[in-house]
Amino acid sequence: MITPDHATPLAEGYHAVAPGDLACVVTALEMRERPEGLRRLAPETDVPLQLARWKDAAPEKYRLLYKRVGAPWLWWSRLTKSDEDLAAIIHDPQVQLYAVTDRARVEVGVLELDFRVDGESEIAFFGLIPGATGKGLGKWLMRRALQLAWAPGVTRVWVHTCTLDGPQALPFYMGQGFTPFARYVEVFPDPRLAGVLPEDSAPQQPVLR
């Protein structure tokens, strides 16, 4: 294979990504058994967070929180959906959407659980804004996520992460009891070049025109 600009053969196993595109490796993980000791949490004064259920959140309200949490990692898929298409997902009775709020009721994270496949629960979106990370709060949020995900009739909980996420994401999920079961390569147009996200989002991922 020859690169477009330099006429230099690529090493075996390499694949050129077109300018303006991004590529990442996606890892899917699953949990087939409810963890032992997964009980409802008693009030914890040392965890300054709570979950607020958003049953009928307006699409624009959802997008604002989605971007606050996900822009540093180039979350984009929900931002390109129309209000109608987005509402069809987040207002579906088999989808549970939660804002993570601090003691001042400011939204600092998001948790979205998808039960639309019978017997399964997908942790579709899970994250905290940058200022809330690195404090051990992710473990609390995952415990709450699993308590909700393992609803009656659920036999499998799964989640996915990719190499655009923080480097700690994959080991975090594995440390919480998830087992990797599949790996994919995803290529998509850079959402910053399309104006979906600000161009200064995720500076750790350079924009290639």
Side-chain angles (χ1 to χ4, degrees):
M1 182 182 294
I2 305 297
T3 60
D5 296 327
H6 304 292
T8 302
L10 289 174
E12 184 177 354
Y14 283 75
H15 302 276
V17 176
D21 283 353
L22 284 170
C24 64
V25 177
V26 180
T27 301
L29 307 96
E30 65 181 359
M31 189 180 288
R32 291 280 184 174
E33 295 183 359
R34 179 185 176 93
E36 293 184 8
L38 192 63
R39 301 188 304 272
R40 194 159 192 84
L41 287 178
E44 296 185 58
T45 56
D46 59 332
V47 178
L49 301 178
Q50 58 185 344
L51 294 181
R53 179 76 182 272
W54 279 7
K55 288 188 176 181
D56 299 301
E60 189 54 36
K61 181 179 181 180
Y62 173 91
R63 290 190 192 99
L64 287 172
L65 180 57
Y66 180 94
K67 284 193 284 189
R68 288 185 64 215
V69 175
W73 315 112
L74 297 180
W75 290 10
W76 63 275
S77 60
R78 292 293 175 80
L79 302 178
T80 60
K81 294 185 180 298
S82 67
D83 285 357
E84 182 180 12
D85 290 344
L86 181 55
I89 297 172
I90 64 176
H91 296 166
D92 189 297
Q94 297 302 310
V95 173
Q96 295 182 14
L97 173 62
Y98 298 88
V100 184
T101 64
D102 63 15
R103 287 174 175 156
R105 299 186 182 276
V106 175
E107 292 89 3
V108 296
V110 65
L111 171 64
E112 186 176 326
L113 302 174
D114 190 334
F115 295 89
R116 289 178 294 176
V117 175
D118 188 46
E120 295 189 0
S121 174
E122 178 189 2
I123 302 178
F125 291 99
F126 173 100
L128 299 167
I129 64 173
T133 59
K135 302 176 181 179
L137 301 176
K139 291 182 178 180
W140 173 86
L141 181 56
M142 178 54 71
R143 186 171 180 84
R144 295 295 289 118
L146 291 174
Q147 290 171 341
L148 294 163
W150 281 104
V154 169
T155 59
R156 175 178 181 258
V157 176
W158 74 282
V159 66
H160 74 271
T161 185
C162 76
T163 48
L164 296 180
D165 289 332
Q168 72 280 7
L170 182 55
F172 171 79
Y173 289 130
M174 294 173 64
Q176 299 304 303
F178 286 92
T179 300
F181 71 90
R183 184 176 292 124
Y184 313 93
V185 174
E186 181 182 11
V187 179
F188 54 91
D190 192 321
R192 296 166 295 186
L193 293 178
V196 176
L197 287 170
E199 194 161 323
D200 60 356
S201 300
Q204 73 277 9
Q205 301 291 340
V207 176
L208 299 180
R209 289 179 169 80

